[in-house]
Amino acid sequence: MRTRHPRRWTTCLVIATVVGSTAGCGGGSETAAGPAARKATAEPRHSAEEERAAAQAALAAYSGYLTASREASRHSDPRHPALPRFLADPLLTRVRVAIGQARTHGAIRTGTLRSDPTVTSVSLDAVPPTVEIQDCLDATGYRLVYAKDRRVVPGSGGGRHLATATATRYPDGRWLISSGAAHEDQPC
């Protein structure tokens, strides 16, 4: 199947399917200076155990997201039932759109995606509570191929790059990955 701009849709697809796409790198939040900021850091509202539990739950959601995304991409199934178990909007919609685009072009994902995530921050006082995750994704063995003949889609080669994600705790207590970005310009 030929398309007029295969590189454009495959680049978007690589980004969105691996970790969801958002342009550029997310900016960090600025910390206020002065006595109020010092007091807030001196008296944490949550125990270290609560923060560890949140970090573990967020990493489990992230791992589930990557697994569900790989499975859905392997079958070009944007409605794969595992996706909403680990993803929330706006990322859920972006991943579904990317997988749907692959399906439209007759493409599926094959191979192995390697991940090494770490938690960079836990914000249990945020509304809603969030955990920030940073990952070094290795997509060198993860390919977008045409389902019909298993030819690699031009321009879909992967590499090792930084990825970031945000896990959000929802009112029902579940941690879901709600946003993510692939920073292909930042190798790791």
Side-chain angles (χ1 to χ4, degrees):
M1 174 176 277
R2 287 211 179 261
T3 182
R4 211 164 177 197
H5 302 287
R7 183 148 180 89
R8 189 165 84 203
W9 72 264
T10 57
T11 300
C12 177
L13 201 56
V14 168
I15 294 169
T17 303
V18 172
V19 247
S21 65
T22 58
C25 300
S29 59
E30 294 182 17
T31 305
R38 275 183 245 123
K39 182 178 180 185
T41 57
E43 299 173 22
R45 295 179 66 179
H46 299 280
S47 71
E49 183 56 36
E50 288 173 308
E51 289 189 3
R52 264 192 304 279
Q56 288 175 342
L59 287 172
Y62 183 76
S63 176
Y65 150 53
L66 291 180
T67 300
S69 181
R70 284 189 301 254
E71 183 65 23
S73 296
R74 187 175 306 128
H75 300 287
S76 277
D77 181 4
R79 293 288 173 198
H80 193 282
L83 291 173
R85 287 199 320 249
F86 301 102
L87 290 163
D89 279 324
L91 186 57
L92 175 60
T93 296
R94 285 198 321 265
V95 168
R96 283 180 166 165
V97 166
I99 294 170
Q101 286 176 339
R103 177 182 228 153
T104 299
H105 293 284
I108 60 170
R109 286 246 170 231
T110 62
T112 303
L113 176 67
R114 298 193 192 288
S115 172
D116 186 24
T118 58
V119 169
T120 58
S121 73
V122 176
S123 301
L124 295 178
D125 290 328
V127 178
T130 59
V131 172
E132 298 298 325
I133 298 168
Q134 182 173 307
D135 196 357
C136 179
L137 287 175
D138 182 353
T140 54
Y142 195 54
R143 298 282 183 236
L144 185 65
V145 299
Y146 292 109
K148 195 174 203 173
D149 59 12
R150 302 293 182 182
R151 281 183 307 118
V152 174
V153 174
S156 68
R160 290 175 51 94
H161 62 274
L162 178 69
T164 54
T166 301
T168 303
R169 187 173 65 203
Y170 285 80
D172 64 1
R174 293 182 306 150
W175 285 91
L176 301 173
I177 306 302
S178 57
S179 67
H183 307 282
E184 291 183 330
D185 60 331
Q186 296 180 33
C188 54

